[in-house]
Amino acid sequence: SLTERHARALLRLDTEEKQIYAARRIVDFSLSVKQTEELCDRILKEGIENFSREILDWCSSKVELDEREKYWIDYFINT
């Protein structure tokens, strides 16, 4: 869920489109505030048009999927 600190990070984004894009990722991937700040930094630096969706991993359960999503988000944020 979104907290006040998540919202502060979102307010740094310069368009409503970017804010909505990031907010959906926060909720979908249960991002921490730090991950949210890093996501917003990437959006500001690269633009949302440079984000893409692709299959990175196969999972056999919802729990495994949640764990792998967090892993890949951290991986791409830190590369």
Side-chain angles (χ1 to χ4, degrees), residues 6-7 9 12 19 26-27 33 39 41 49 53 64 71 75:
H6 286 98
R12 294 178 31 224
Q19 291 172 344
I26 294 165
V27 172
V33 172
L39 174 64
D41 289 342
E49 62 278 356
R53 292 183 184 194
E64 184 182 5
Y71 166 81
Y75 174 83

Side-chain angles (χ1 to χ4, degrees), residues 5-79:
R5 290 182 61 209
H6 286 98
R8 285 185 194 156
L10 290 173
L11 290 173
R12 294 178 31 224
L13 300 174
D14 56 354
T15 68
E16 183 178 351
E17 178 186 20
K18 291 176 185 177
Q19 291 172 344
I20 291 170
Y21 179 89
R24 286 186 179 143
R25 265 74 204 146
I26 294 165
V27 172
D28 289 348
F29 300 114
S30 301
L31 298 183
S32 68
V33 172
K34 181 178 184 222
Q35 290 170 321
T36 299
E37 290 168 344
E38 291 170 345
L39 174 64
C40 290
D41 289 342
R42 289 298 274 272
I43 290 172
L44 288 168
K45 180 179 176 184
E46 300 172 20
I48 59 174
E49 62 278 356
N50 292 313
F51 283 74
S52 65
R53 292 183 184 194
E54 59 186 280
I55 297 172
L56 300 173
D57 224 335
W58 292 100
C59 302
S60 58
S61 71
K62 174 80 168 107
V63 171
E64 184 182 5
L65 175 64
D66 290 341
E67 291 172 2
R68 298 307 295 165
E69 283 176 338
K70 289 177 184 176
Y71 166 81
W72 285 111
I73 289 168
D74 284 337
Y75 174 83
F76 283 108
I77 285 174
N78 293 308
T79 56

